[in-house]
Amino acid sequence: MSWELSEEHEAFRAVVADFATNELGPHVERWDREQYFPVEAVRAMAELGLFGLIFPERWGGGGGDFASLCVAIEEIGRVDQSIGITLSAAVGLGANPIYQFGTDEQRGRWLPDLVAGRRLGAFGLTEPDGGSDAGATRSRATAVGGGWRLDGSKAFITNSGTELTSIITVTARTSDPGGAGISAFVVEAGTAGLVVEPAYRKIGWHASDTHGLTLDACWVPDDHLLGELGAGFRNFLTILDDGRIAIAALALGCARACLEQATAYASERNAFGGPIGRNQAIAFPLADMAVAVENSRNLTYKAAWLKDNGRPFGQAAAMAKLYATETAVAAARAATQVFGGAGFIEETPVARMYRDSKILEIGEGTSEIQRLIIARSLGLPVR
């Protein structure tokens, strides 16, 4: 049995890796330092067709599999996590809900621009008082005059305030408390009552766009309801299963970068009469890191394979997300230690990875939520 990717996948990997290294790499330190959202990077990824990888040709996509998207996210994330999450969120959280749950009319209206990368979509689930308890949504949708008035707030929403943002899909309660009463609505950028709050000051992901949102008597017509009434919470959980595999791929890229950079540094940096990599105190943590990277790779692409082959993949996605993200954090910490004082200097790439990695354990479901999912999949009545 082998999880080895096909020749086509590896040829695609080489193209994306070259693009990430040579087209993005020279700029990522500046983008991070200036906390600048690089529209030019989005447009360059669009030219490669990265935003349409998993969508059918009917909607302008490439008709590829989910493993291909993971390859792209991994290679972009190896060079820069901010650009990696921009791609991951735009595809998995922006366009995918429209494709999965939209009507053909809705797909025809919004998908072509999203799939082509001309525009970006966002996914408004998290709320300031909700966090991991997404079923406790407080935003409300009230039927008014052939549409819905939305009131509430959302937090930590990626790709929500860029000049390319075209839509934000949000959840809101349409009946009494409980997941069954939550519906999803597509809100177009610029809609009256949609307030994009100032960008967050974040520890990492400085080149990624992240805002809070306020819905203040924000009215959308009936045809902006996405999916069946009351099915929004259930549908968004399905989207999160896909997204967890993508975040695992992003984390894999981070861990790989840390391993590669720390190994190279340990071979070049001389102390006590020779390269520091000859010392077991340096070499053994790197050996452990290599094992964890390989395990992360296997878990991530197994989950993608299960999804691509129509198998149940929820448990596998949670396992991949949990293991790969915790590996990325540990790898960034270990790489910074190998670099020593140089690792604490912002010009060193591992310093950026150190800051960027922590959010991986939080976004798209915290490590605690992944453990909860896995435990329940074992039949345990855990709460």
Side-chain angles (χ1 to χ4, degrees):
M1 184 174 65
S2 173
W3 298 116
E4 189 173 33
L5 294 173
S6 69
E7 291 183 5
E8 289 78 9
H9 284 115
E10 294 301 343
F12 176 65
R13 179 189 297 280
V15 170
V16 180
D18 179 75
F19 165 79
T21 300
N22 296 311
E23 301 299 324
L24 302 180
H27 308 289
V28 295
E29 189 276 331
R30 177 177 62 83
W31 293 339
D32 174 80
R33 174 168 31 88
E34 297 177 359
Q35 301 196 25
Y36 167 73
F37 178 76
V39 173
E40 60 267 41
V42 173
R43 289 176 174 151
M45 289 191 292
E47 290 180 6
L48 276 184
L50 301 188
F51 293 97
L53 282 171
I54 63 172
F55 301 109
E57 294 179 4
R58 176 184 180 187
W59 306 113
D65 56 16
F66 203 81
S68 296
L69 176 62
C70 289
V71 167
I73 292 172
E74 178 190 346
E75 291 300 332
I76 298 293
R78 179 183 57 83
V79 172
D80 187 65
Q81 290 281 291
S82 291
I83 310 305
I85 190 58
T86 298
L87 172 63
S88 176
V91 176
L93 303 181
N96 199 31
I98 306 298
Y99 172 66
Q100 292 252 27
F101 306 113
T103 64
D104 276 355
E105 190 278 330
Q106 290 171 329
R107 291 169 180 161
R109 187 190 315 178
W110 292 309
L111 269 186
D113 281 345
L114 299 176
V115 167
R118 291 186 293 268
R119 307 290 285 178
L120 297 176
F123 176 86
L125 175 63
T126 303
E127 298 194 350
D129 296 327
S132 295
D133 188 8
T137 294
R138 294 187 178 182
S139 296
R140 300 200 64 87
T142 307
V144 175
W148 297 86
R149 190 188 73 200
L150 306 176
D151 295 279
S153 58
K154 301 294 177 178
F156 318 126
I157 310 305
T158 302
N159 294 343
S160 57
T162 81
E163 64 184 78
L164 300 177
T165 301
S166 61
I167 61 165
I168 303 169
T169 304
V170 302
T171 52
R173 191 169 298 286
T174 47
S175 65
D176 294 332
I182 297 174
S183 302
F185 301 87
V186 178
V187 182
E188 295 181 309
T191 299
L194 170 65
V195 179
V196 179
E197 304 294 345
Y200 292 106
R201 294 177 60 238
K202 299 172 292 187
I203 292 174
W205 281 4
H206 286 166
S208 168
D209 175 82
T210 321
H211 299 263
L213 305 173
T214 298
L215 300 165
D216 182 10
C218 177
W219 185 87
V220 296
D222 280 331
D223 63 3
H224 283 46
L225 173 69
L226 185 66
E228 296 179 1
L229 190 66
F233 182 66
R234 180 178 68 249
N235 290 347
F236 270 37
L237 291 182
T238 299
I239 294 297
L240 288 176
D241 278 341
D242 292 359
R244 285 167 184 144
I245 307 176
I247 293 296
L250 183 62
L252 173 58
C254 176
R256 273 186 57 208
C258 291
L259 176 60
E260 292 166 4
Q261 292 170 24
T263 300
Y265 188 79
S267 300
E268 298 165 359
R269 171 76 162 93
N270 288 305
F272 303 103
I276 62 175
R278 72 180 182 177
N279 300 307
Q280 292 181 3
I282 299 295
F284 284 7
L286 294 178
D288 290 339
M289 195 188 303
V291 174
V293 168
E294 185 64 19
N295 286 337
S296 298
R297 178 180 293 110
N298 288 336
L299 285 168
T300 299
Y301 286 101
K302 177 183 177 181
W305 182 87
L306 289 171
K307 173 176 170 55
D308 284 334
N309 284 274
R311 310 281 187 88
F313 66 93
Q315 182 198 59
M319 287 181 172
K321 202 271 183 185
L322 172 65
Y323 189 90
T325 58
E326 294 195 345
T327 291
V329 172
R333 183 174 61 247
T336 302
Q337 189 72 17
V338 169
F339 272 74
F344 202 63
I345 304 301
E346 286 288 6
E347 284 74 12
T348 307
V350 296
R352 188 176 69 254
M353 291 294 181
Y354 187 85
R355 290 186 286 99
D356 286 344
S357 62
K358 182 56 190 176
I359 187 60
L360 296 167
E361 294 181 316
I362 299 171
E364 304 253 7
T366 63
S367 291
E368 292 77 13
I369 290 295
Q370 305 316 306
R371 288 184 167 90
L372 182 66
I373 292 169
I374 296 165
R376 286 176 175 171
S377 74
L378 298 176
L380 298 171
V382 63
R383 297 184 58 189

